[in-house]
Amino acid sequence: MSTIIDGKAVAEKVLAECGQQIEELQTRGVVPGLAVVLVGDDPASKVYVGSKVRKCAELGLHSRKIELPADATHQQVLDVVHELNADPQIHGILVQSPPPPQIDEDAIVRAIDPAKDVDGFHPENVAKLALEDSSGYVPCTPAGCMRLLKEAGVETSGAEAVVIGRSMIVGKPMALLLMSKEGNATVTVAHSRTKDLVEVCRRADIIVAAIGRPEFVTADMVKDGAVVIDVGINRVEDASAKRGYRLVGDVAYDEVAPKCSAITPVPGGVGPMTIAMLISNTIKAACQSQRA
Ligand code: NDP
């Protein structure tokens, strides 16, 4: 029987810890503040931004949503970032990805004050992750995956881990976390040029799938007793669903789950952790701003 790792429950636990920290900060007159910048009207981005702002309100965080039109210039977005960098009420800033094509996303990320970069995408925070300097901010999704592994009692030390995907927001930071002194795993990072991916995956005690392809990881790629963390969120058409689509992960859950010792479902696995870790990073930023 495989354990289904309940991301909602772990996220609630993280948010309960956050709630306590928020109360402590409030006794010192500090209200952690998160600013979310949304450029354009991408429907999925609107949903993500809405849920981040709602979660902040529920927890008593100060949040600010800044919406810019789809034809906003790069300079307009930069100006907003500079204002937020200078605003003492704002401890965390994120610019929702992907922005429209006229915006140079890398340059925007570099313009965010690294001390407010709660997404953990600024080069300074990427370097701190590689250096295992805990003053930096770890990207929320891989940080959430590590917490899920911990809460599920998965021993990462000495484990063979295969991360499928090498993006800067999931795959690479996930690999760094797994190989860090906290993770101590032996890590292989696979991507679209990897040869014999099936064989590579079959060696894994832990598979983290961050590919962006629905149900890509099939039962033949997974060894008996492996732990599978499914980061993928993919919409697939489903005429029987109310919205005309349903969400599936990067793992063919129904055939893979029976082989695993533990697995995350989609939805309800990694997804809820991402927002919980964002709130956690914002609180860390508020705490660190007091010490600065
Ligand atoms: P990217 O598209 O940036 O990266 C996908 C990675 O998968 C790339 O490294 C790519 O390789 C690799 N890949 C693609 N096809 C193959 C293949 N056939 N074989 C092996 N590797 C392959 O995606 P993200 O990292 O941003 O996101 C991955 C998934 O996670 C998506 O479904 C996304 O929606 C989801 N996601 C979920 C989050 C959550 O909160 N749960 C947060 C962020 C993302 P190459 O580099 O060679 O192109």
Side-chain angles (χ1 to χ4, degrees):
M1 266 295 278
S2 57
T3 301
I4 298 165
I5 303 174
D6 185 346
K8 270 194 204 159
V10 179
E12 284 307 319
K13 187 173 171 184
V14 172
L15 290 172
E17 292 163 7
C18 289
Q20 282 177 359
Q21 291 172 301
I22 292 166
E23 275 178 28
E24 281 168 31
L25 279 166
Q26 281 170 344
T27 60
R28 290 190 264 143
V30 181
V31 179
L34 175 70
V36 186
V37 183
L38 174 65
V39 190
D41 38 28
D42 176 64
S45 293
K46 279 194 162 186
V47 172
Y48 291 140
V49 166
S51 54
K52 286 167 188 169
V53 170
R54 247 193 332 275
K55 193 51 83 182
C56 284
E58 268 173 48
L59 288 163
L61 259 77
H62 169 65
S63 69
R64 199 176 303 161
K65 181 163 78 173
I66 295 118
E67 290 182 273
L68 294 172
D71 61 356
T73 63
H74 180 73
Q75 189 58 47
Q76 280 175 307
V77 183
L78 266 185
D79 290 345
V80 167
V81 168
H82 290 143
E83 271 173 40
L84 295 168
N85 282 343
D87 187 335
Q89 280 193 316
I90 297 299
H91 304 99
I93 303 169
L94 77 81
V95 179
Q96 186 63 43
S97 185
Q102 74 276 18
I103 311 295
D104 177 349
E105 193 173 7
D106 279 351
I108 298 295
V109 167
R110 283 172 163 77
I112 296 173
D113 178 350
K116 297 190 178 189
D117 168 43
V118 286
D119 258 342
F121 299 159
H122 189 285
E124 189 172 314
N125 286 314
V126 176
K128 283 185 172 177
L129 174 59
L131 293 165
E132 300 190 36
D133 174 342
S134 62
S135 70
Y137 298 98
V138 177
C140 304
T141 302
C145 293
M146 288 302 283
R147 181 73 190 254
L148 285 177
L149 288 168
K150 195 172 171 195
E151 293 287 334
V154 175
E155 180 60 275
T156 54
S157 182
E160 286 274 351
V162 172
V163 178
I164 318 175
R166 56 176 164 178
S167 74
M168 290 307 296
I169 62 168
V170 192
K172 264 187 212 163
M174 187 71 220
L176 284 170
L177 289 167
L178 282 164
M179 78 169 79
S180 71
K181 296 216 167 54
E182 203 190 318
N184 284 315
T186 303
V187 183
T188 303
V189 181
H191 46 76
S192 65
R193 307 288 177 91
T194 298
K195 286 184 188 153
D196 298 330
L197 182 64
V198 173
E199 282 311 312
V200 169
C201 291
R202 280 159 75 102
R203 289 204 305 264
D205 303 308
I206 299 168
I207 294 177
V208 180
I211 310 149
R213 293 182 178 231
E215 302 182 325
F216 180 87
V217 177
T218 44
D220 58 321
M221 297 166 81
V222 179
K223 89 170 170 193
D224 283 331
V227 174
V228 175
I229 303 293
D230 188 353
V231 180
I233 303 178
N234 308 290
R235 285 184 183 190
V236 294
E237 279 182 32
D238 182 350
S240 67
K242 225 199 285 176
R243 299 180 190 147
Y245 68 86
R246 68 194 157 87
L247 294 180
V248 299
D250 288 346
V251 175
Y253 185 88
D254 290 343
E255 63 179 65
V256 170
K259 293 187 81 176
C260 298
S261 58
I263 185 167
T264 58
V266 176
V270 175
M273 291 303 291
T274 298
I275 194 156
M277 301 318 284
L278 174 68
I279 304 276
S280 171
N281 276 352
T282 304
I283 292 165
K284 178 175 169 178
C287 291
Q288 297 198 140
S289 76
Q290 298 305 294
R291 284 182 225 128

